[in-house]
Amino acid sequence: EDFYYILYHNEYQDYGKPWPIDDPAAFTGPAEKEYEADVEGFLKRLYLSGALSTSEVKAMTLEAPPCQDPKRSAGGQLDRLPLCTSLPSWMPQEALDRFVEAFKASGFRGGINYYRCLNRNWQKTKSAFQKAGGKIKQPTFFIGGVCDSHMIHGELDPVIKTYGGPEATATMVSKVCSDLRGCCFIADCGHWNTQEKPHETNQALLRFLESTRDLPDLPGLPDLPGRSR
């Protein structure tokens, strides 16, 4: 079968099958073992891969991924991602060192478990979602990078473009969110908007918070400075 990162994160003994969530022996898989064997190398490749369509990363000299074979049997994730000897401006070495230190201590199991619980999360939330009429009723604000992308079978897959561009994506989100307060598509920004474009991200968050002034206070909340409407 062709390699796909979500299937890889679910691999325990058999590629392409759901993670055996009820098996107490299923504690770790090949994905953790690969990533934790080279934490810094994996993080460098991972951060670059989410921003490959941005102007800054496009201007960098990248090494082609060593593995060009799309089959899972040819290898895991690491060798399918490009690498650069330098770092983008939004990921200084000091920040990367901190992330490396944190993941060396914690491992990657927590993050990978998100993918392993996709089916379980749907089963646990399906009833509540159906009762809500298939809508998310909480105030919602969508933030995304226009250049968000990831590698699929060695090819760059631009996420927002895949869904038809910003306007079509906003329409799709509005069909699910009944109280959508807005969408912000940050130009020349990849997957890591909080690192790549922190000012634009913060401005979008502030706009969202400002848009919720019409909501009533919940009973029992303390009277904090700045909470007056």
Side-chain angles (χ1 to χ4, degrees):
E1 292 186 52
D2 285 349
F3 179 89
Y4 186 50
Y5 72 99
I6 292 180
L7 295 180
Y8 183 53
H9 289 162
N10 276 276
E11 183 176 344
Y12 177 50
Q13 294 176 335
D14 299 297
Y15 180 73
K17 294 185 178 180
W19 184 264
I21 55 177
D22 296 321
D23 182 359
F27 184 78
T28 188
E32 289 103 319
K33 294 175 183 177
E34 181 189 21
Y35 303 161
E36 291 165 15
D38 184 8
V39 174
E40 182 169 352
F42 172 65
L43 289 178
K44 281 183 177 180
R45 293 174 186 266
L46 181 68
Y47 281 117
L48 284 173
S49 70
L52 288 173
S53 296
T54 63
S55 60
E56 180 176 359
V57 175
K58 279 183 175 180
M60 300 169 67
T61 302
L62 302 178
E63 298 177 11
C67 181
Q68 302 291 330
D69 189 333
K71 299 299 182 184
R72 165 65 183 100
S73 58
Q77 170 90 312
L78 194 63
D79 284 344
R80 300 177 189 273
L81 302 175
L83 180 63
C84 185
T85 55
S86 59
L87 294 169
S89 61
W90 44 266
M91 182 57 66
Q93 186 65 49
E94 294 81 5
L96 180 65
D97 290 343
R98 179 66 185 90
F99 292 144
V100 169
E101 178 186 5
F103 278 109
K104 281 184 176 180
S106 69
F108 289 95
R109 182 169 179 258
I112 294 173
N113 277 351
Y114 166 81
Y115 298 96
R116 292 171 180 158
C117 289
L118 289 176
N119 290 340
R120 170 180 273 192
N121 287 343
W122 169 242
Q123 292 299 325
K124 286 185 172 295
T125 59
K126 181 171 62 174
S127 176
F129 190 59
Q130 290 173 340
K131 288 179 180 178
K135 299 284 187 180
I136 297 172
K137 297 184 177 181
Q138 291 84 353
T140 310
F141 195 94
F142 181 90
I143 304 174
V146 173
C147 298
D148 189 359
S149 59
H150 56 272
M151 299 292 291
I152 299 291
H153 306 323
E155 299 292 333
L156 199 59
D157 181 36
V159 178
I160 300 298
K161 186 177 180 181
T162 298
Y163 288 111
E167 185 174 343
T169 301
T171 299
M172 181 179 64
V173 174
S174 68
K175 291 179 179 179
V176 180
C177 302
S178 60
D179 191 7
L180 182 64
R181 300 297 172 115
C183 293
C184 176
F185 298 93
I186 305 175
D188 200 23
C189 179
H191 187 71
W192 320 104
N193 56 288
T194 52
Q195 279 88 20
E196 297 176 55
K197 303 286 185 179
H199 175 74
E200 293 84 345
T201 300
N202 285 335
Q203 289 299 309
L205 290 172
L206 290 172
R207 290 200 302 275
F208 171 54
L209 293 175
E210 182 66 26
S211 77
T212 64
R213 285 184 175 273
D214 63 303
L215 300 176
D217 286 337
L218 294 175
L221 287 179
D223 187 16
L224 299 175
R227 290 192 66 250
S228 59
R229 297 181 184 274

